[in-house]
């Protein structure tokens, strides 16, 4: 399988913006969940679009099992090389009905998160709907995305996230500014969207 994201895998972990984004995302996860409590040591988590696992590295020490999936084989190869004990790195598209799925989806997940992924998906709303169906009762979906401004080609607006989470029929929905990043002299805001099944 070829994937345009492959070319971004090499050297990605040395990019300070990638590390900072993951650290900020993890801090916002900590402030909105009790993920560092002992309750989470038995939880099953899905990192959708994990890349090289920058955020998985932060989350893994606190959870039982972390399944990290990505359609880029080179991203997955970097994550595998890190040998994080409770992380299972899987190359493939778990949402593609025509592909054999290498992940046990039937057992469900307590947390599914997507860090800087949803804004790049061709069918964002469809993906959220499908991911919502993989959550255990009371499970949580969390996404972080660059906040889109008028005319932007990438990113998502608060309304887009709100609508997608509503269509996925989450019971409790929250969309807000999580943090901002400075790149090339520009301040770029990042939104966090959360839905509870
Ligand atoms: C901007 S990168 C973010 C990577 C990582 N989550 C992070 O925060 O560093 C977007 C990632 O989403 C992955 N991706 C895109 N579409 C996907 C899909 N349908 N299923 C799984 N991963 C996908 C890409 O291969 C890429 O690694």
């Amino acid at each position: 399988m070829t994937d345009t994201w492959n070319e971004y895998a090499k050297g990605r972990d040395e990019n300070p913006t990638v590390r900072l984004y993951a650290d900020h995302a993890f801090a916002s996860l900590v402030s909105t969940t009790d993920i560092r409590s002992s309750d989470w040591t038995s939880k099953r988590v899905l990192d959708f679009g994990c890349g090289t696992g920058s955020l998985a590295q932060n989350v893994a020490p606190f959870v039982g099992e972390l399944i990290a999936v990505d359609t880029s084989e080179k991203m997955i190869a970097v994550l595998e090389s890190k040998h994080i004990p409770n992380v299972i790195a899987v190359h493939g598209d778990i949402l593609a009905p025509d592909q054999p799925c290498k992940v046990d989806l039937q057992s469900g997940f307590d947390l599914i998160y997507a860090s800087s992924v949803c804004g790049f998906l061709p069918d964002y709303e469809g993906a959220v709907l499908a991911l919502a169906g993989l959550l255990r009762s009371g499970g949580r979906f969390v996404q972080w995305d660059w906040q889109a401004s008028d005319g932007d080609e990438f990113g998502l607006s608060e309304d887009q996230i709100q609508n997608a989470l509503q269509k996925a029929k989450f019971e409790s929905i929250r969309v807000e500014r999580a943090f901002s990043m400075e790149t090339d002299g520009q301040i770029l805001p990042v939104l966090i969207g959360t839905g509870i099944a």
Side-chain angles (χ1 to χ4, degrees), residues 14-29:
E14 284 73 54
N15 181 341
T17 305
V18 171
R19 182 71 261 145
L20 198 58
Y21 191 109
D23 288 345
H24 280 316
F26 184 64
S28 63
L29 189 62

